[in-house]
Amino acid sequence: MLFHRNKNHLPTPEEALKGRPEPAFTLTGRHTVLGTPLTGPYPEGLETADFGLGCFWGAERKFWQAPGVWTTLVGYQGGHTPNPSYYEVCSGMTGHTEAVRVVYDPAVTSYAALLKIFWESHDPTQGFRQGNDTGTQYRSAIYTHTTAQAAEAESSRTAYQSALAASGHSSPITTEILPADDRPFYPAEPEHQQYLDKNPAGYCGIGGTGVSCPVGVAGASAPDA
């Protein structure tokens, strides 16, 4: 079943792999670039954002390079299978997309600024693929943690769709915007965390449309001197 599946079909809860009640590994240690803990609880005042934009190796790097980001980690989100493995997600039978969790300081940056990175770092019109990577685990997604995030995400999608149309891109955005509350984020295996820092010549399959997103600049602020 893992090899004979339709890469463009999201499994139903009944079709999805059953998974496991606990993770098959322990994720410990610190971010190899930022030096911060990967998992929570996080310091008071920080906020969390979850994004899916193709292969999470390259996607994570886009965010750890951004000002105001405290830590990042990659994982699986938006599907049905609890505590899946990378192999299971790549089978297409979990329903998850490859996701990046971004923990950031709202006194230094903003959710709008992160949305700008999200939209400009991939092509959100490709459905179940990103570049040469094909499958439901590469779909574009935003999983929101507050009503304010949901409103900003929806507004930014509308704005970026208009920007794409004005630039001659006729395809509609396929990004799903859904609450994170009932879509748990399952951290990926340790070897996938900060993969492109550990493997500087490693594969990165994401690429943007070349169209600037008209949100996010005004919302970001510089840290106090």
Side-chain angles (χ1 to χ4, degrees):
M1 182 173 65
L2 292 184
F3 294 102
H4 301 285
R5 51 87 178 178
N6 183 351
K7 287 187 176 183
N8 294 318
H9 168 71
L10 277 171
T12 65
E14 294 73 26
E15 294 171 332
L17 298 175
K18 299 307 178 186
R20 51 198 59 80
E22 299 293 336
F25 58 87
T26 300
L27 185 62
T28 58
R30 291 179 173 266
H31 197 288
T32 61
V33 177
L34 302 175
T36 49
L38 294 178
T39 56
Y42 301 115
E44 185 177 354
L46 300 184
E47 297 181 6
T48 300
D50 295 333
F51 302 105
L53 55 155
C55 176
F56 55 19
W57 294 343
E60 185 187 17
R61 181 170 62 183
K62 293 288 185 180
F63 290 104
W64 84 51
Q65 293 174 336
V69 171
W70 191 80
T71 201
T72 61
L73 66 158
V74 297
Y76 315 115
Q77 197 169 12
H80 309 296
T81 302
N83 298 297
S85 69
Y86 180 72
Y87 176 73
E88 289 169 341
V89 171
C90 289
S91 79
M93 293 304 298
T94 70
H96 293 294
T97 191
E98 295 189 14
V100 181
R101 171 154 287 183
V102 183
V103 181
Y104 65 99
D105 186 346
V108 180
T109 189
S110 66
Y111 188 62
L114 299 179
L115 286 168
K116 183 175 178 67
I117 294 171
F118 168 79
W119 293 118
E120 294 180 358
S121 295
H122 75 304
D123 184 344
T125 70
Q126 293 190 316
F128 295 147
R129 63 185 289 262
Q130 198 60 216
N132 292 326
D133 294 328
T134 302
T136 56
Q137 77 268 31
Y138 300 117
R139 70 187 185 276
S140 178
I142 303 172
Y143 300 113
T144 60
H145 290 263
T146 64
T147 55
Q149 282 191 0
E152 281 196 79
E154 293 283 358
S155 177
S156 71
R157 180 170 60 184
T158 300
Y160 198 53
Q161 184 69 76
S162 297
L164 288 174
S167 300
H169 295 259
S170 59
S171 298
I173 288 174
T174 59
T175 305
E176 60 185 32
I177 300 175
L178 297 167
D181 283 351
D182 52 355
R183 292 167 180 84
F185 177 94
Y186 298 104
E189 295 83 345
E191 61 266 28
H192 295 295
Q193 306 298 333
Q194 297 88 63
Y195 181 86
L196 290 183
D197 179 55
K198 300 169 184 174
N199 304 275
Y203 170 77
C204 176
I206 67 170
T209 62
V211 177
S212 177
C213 180
V215 299
V217 177
S221 59
D224 294 336

